Amino acid sequence: MMLATPDEMRQLDRAAAESCGVSGLALMENAGAAVARVAFRVAARATHTDRCRLGGPARSVSVCILAGRGNNGGDGFAAARHLAGYGARVSVYVVGDPCAIQGDARANLDAMVKSGIGVTPLLGEGAWNAARADLAASDVVIDAVLGTGARGAPSPEAARAISLMNESPAPIVAVDVPSGLDALTGAVPGECATAHITVTLALAKTGLLTYPGASCVGRVVLDGIGMPPALIQSSGIKAHLTTPDDVRAALPVRRPDAHKGDFGRVLIVAGSLGMSGAASLSAMGALRSGAGLVHLSVPAAIAGEVSARHAEVMTHPAAPENLPDILDMATTCQAVVVGPGMSCCERTSAIVDAMIAELRVPIVLDADAVNVLAGRAQALREARAPVVLTPHPGELGRLLGVGADEINRDRLGWARRAALETGATVVLKGARTVVADKTGEAYVNPTGNSGMAAAGMGDVLAGVVGSLCAAGLSGLAAGYCSAYIHGLAGDFAARDCGLDGMIAGDVLARIPE
């Protein structure tokens, strides 16, 4: 499913009018109708519940709309007319002076008023008190204060309106994005509406799917509002929400007469003293996700315990000086994973540098294999083979010379920037993992949960990525498929075990499912 930035939506709106004759006013009318349908259903459920609980005849639903002075407010004004047509009691409040409203929003405000629906400007304490009372008595609240063009913290007046909505006991239906959420990055720089449902228009917005904003959107309902499909398909938009269909289409088919050599050989170079578990988890992640053969190169000091733990993995003890043997083994495989459980030391750096310089099979760099490249991200552009990086925000920040907090403020943007700078595919781990390649193509992953914030989860993921690279998937496809499968296995583990106490082994065991 495509995800659009605010700039891309503005370009689509302009193209719809210029190329297809679909005016902004027509799109706004359709948006208002879409919001009204959802809001009326939510309100009707509330009144039905009240009637069942208290008895007596049905009553008309009550809707309170808080609108801004831009196009988001215009969508709210259009929704008010449609709701009144359904028989709802509608009250509308505008943040600021309605005289400042222009364009299509003004046309819809005028049409709403001519239809007999009053509007109250929030310009004095009396109006604010009236809004508070209406919000408390409503079955549903429509948030039409701020739209996709808003940047930074809301103004004091908008923040007050958002706070009033959040205080209301009624569910909030947000128009396009919850007010206060950055539609590009998902940042929440100030007060933000906490929506029950967000009705997003034409295309979902990138900020709805990335945290922290994703925690404010509730259930996302996408309505096409009459945007021409051919226009969307030709738009060149490169961000997507990964779907089950995306994953099914990319995964290889297992023929009934296949043998283990058909599903790829993976070499995993991993582990250090005290960190044998990471090597094991990564190796089993590769096997559990379909690899036919997994070679595991670990320091000699831990080779015995790793070998005893997993009979299915071919373990190779590695001395610090046997880099040539590791490289020779890599040439017999279809993908190589480096880094799980290793330390940030000269040996790790030498292995990573040698593989970048010499290998011609896909290389997956995880954990300290990313850390040893800190400050020299450009070295990855010299790789002779496709490279996939699987960093968490701290590791990506070290690679690029910025803090983890900065990465998390715009996860999609930084993943794309890192991919462009390094030439690698970047799998930026975390809530809503982002996968991006150097062309700007990117996928946001919807699966996974907070129970996966535990040791070893990234090691499993690195093995899955290596397995799918060995199966012949591109770095981008291996990244988004792996993130989806890994997260879905985590969701199955949460279903069976709960979130608290989930361990990497729980996820590993459910990857085949």
Side-chain angles (χ1 to χ4, degrees):
M1 183 175 78
M2 285 185 178
L3 302 177
T5 67
D7 283 346
E8 288 168 336
M9 284 310 309
R10 280 189 285 273
Q11 292 167 15
L12 272 178
D13 288 344
R14 188 161 50 248
E18 294 174 356
S19 302
C20 305
V22 181
S23 68
L25 199 57
L27 293 174
M28 188 173 287
E29 180 69 16
N30 293 343
V35 171
R37 284 192 296 271
V38 173
F40 190 79
R41 283 198 296 269
V42 172
R45 280 196 293 269
T47 57
H48 175 74
T49 300
D50 287 347
R51 187 171 75 255
C52 291
R53 187 176 69 248
L54 302 175
R59 61 175 177 81
S60 61
V61 303
S62 177
V63 183
C64 185
I65 301 174
L66 267 63
R69 290 170 290 176
N71 284 341
N72 200 250
D75 296 336
F77 302 143
R81 285 189 291 103
H82 287 279
L83 283 162
Y86 295 154
R89 290 181 288 111
V90 183
S91 55
V92 181
Y93 294 85
V94 172
V95 180
D97 186 353
C99 293
I101 298 174
Q102 300 177 342
D104 294 339
R106 165 56 64 180
N108 268 293
L109 173 60
D110 292 343
M112 181 189 77
V113 172
K114 290 176 181 177
S115 299
I117 302 167
V119 59
T120 303
L122 291 170
L123 294 176
E125 287 305 312
W128 286 102
N129 290 335
R132 182 179 289 106
D134 269 342
L135 287 166
S138 294
D139 298 307
V140 67
V141 174
I142 293 179
D143 165 25
V145 177
L146 299 173
T148 60
R151 290 289 177 274
S155 68
E157 294 79 10
R160 186 176 182 184
I162 293 167
S163 180
L164 274 185
M165 289 189 290
N166 285 340
E167 291 169 8
S168 167
I172 297 172
V173 174
V175 178
D176 217 6
V177 296
S179 293
L181 185 150
D182 189 309
L184 174 64
T185 67
V188 180
E191 196 78 33
C192 185
T194 303
H196 176 68
I197 295 177
T198 297
V199 182
T200 195
L201 308 170
L203 290 172
K205 313 308 179 291
T206 53
L208 296 177
L209 281 306
T210 50
Y211 283 95
S215 62
C216 299
V217 304
R219 183 164 66 89
V220 176
V221 174
L222 173 64
D223 194 286
I225 65 166
M227 184 67 73
L231 197 63
I232 293 173
Q233 293 303 318
S234 64
S235 65
I237 291 172
K238 292 186 173 183
H240 313 268
L241 180 70
T242 310
T243 66
D245 287 342
D246 294 329
V247 179
R248 284 192 205 98
L251 291 178
V253 176
R254 297 179 75 92
R255 299 192 323 274
D257 62 339
H259 59 84
K260 60 181 178 286
D262 292 334
F263 302 117
R265 297 176 175 83
V266 182
L267 169 63
I268 298 176
V269 184
S272 59
L273 197 60
M275 296 291 286
S276 64
S280 296
L281 287 167
S282 188
M284 291 306 295
L287 282 173
R288 286 293 192 179
S289 53
L293 293 159
V294 175
H295 298 272
L296 180 57
S297 176
V298 296
I302 63 171
E305 60 181 290
V306 171
S307 182
R309 191 180 290 144
H310 298 299
E312 303 93 341
V313 178
M314 292 172 282
T315 307
H316 305 270
E321 64 275 7
N322 74 341
L323 179 55
D325 291 342
I326 294 174
L327 292 174
D328 286 345
M329 193 185 311
T331 62
T332 70
C333 296
Q334 282 75 53
V336 178
V337 179
V338 187
M342 296 178 78
S343 58
C344 193
C345 63
E346 289 184 9
R347 176 176 179 269
T348 303
S349 185
I351 291 172
V352 171
D353 288 348
M355 289 187 170
I356 289 172
E358 298 187 30
L359 291 191
R360 294 183 179 273
V361 297
I363 309 165
V364 180
L365 300 181
D366 181 56
D368 280 330
V370 178
N371 283 330
V372 297
L373 292 165
R376 53 192 190 101
Q378 291 293 325
L380 287 161
R381 300 197 70 86
E382 306 302 318
R384 304 173 72 182
V387 176
V388 181
L389 307 178
T390 58
H392 58 56
E395 290 159 353
L396 187 63
R398 284 189 284 276
L399 181 69
L400 301 178
V402 299
D405 288 346
E406 183 69 19
I407 298 293
N408 280 327
R409 274 192 281 272
D410 184 7
R411 287 171 53 81
L412 177 58
W414 280 107
R416 280 174 155 166
R417 177 172 171 177
L420 184 62
E421 287 192 17
T422 62
T425 297
V426 175
V427 180
L428 177 56
K429 295 181 291 194
R432 300 283 162 85
T433 291
V434 177
V435 183
D437 71 7
K438 62 185 179 182
T439 70
E441 203 77 23
Y443 285 79
V444 178
N445 183 56
T447 61
N449 56 75
S450 62
M452 299 176 74
M457 297 291 181
D459 303 317
V460 174
L461 177 63
V464 179
V465 176
S467 171
L468 296 187
C469 284
L473 274 65
S474 68
L476 183 69
Y480 69 70
C481 288
S482 297
Y484 191 96
I485 292 165
H486 181 253
L488 189 59
D491 290 339
F492 290 165
R495 172 199 66 193
D496 298 337
C497 311
L499 295 175
D500 293 324
M502 187 192 301
I503 61 173
D506 297 328
V507 174
L508 184 63
R510 288 164 178 82
I511 286 175
E513 181 184 354

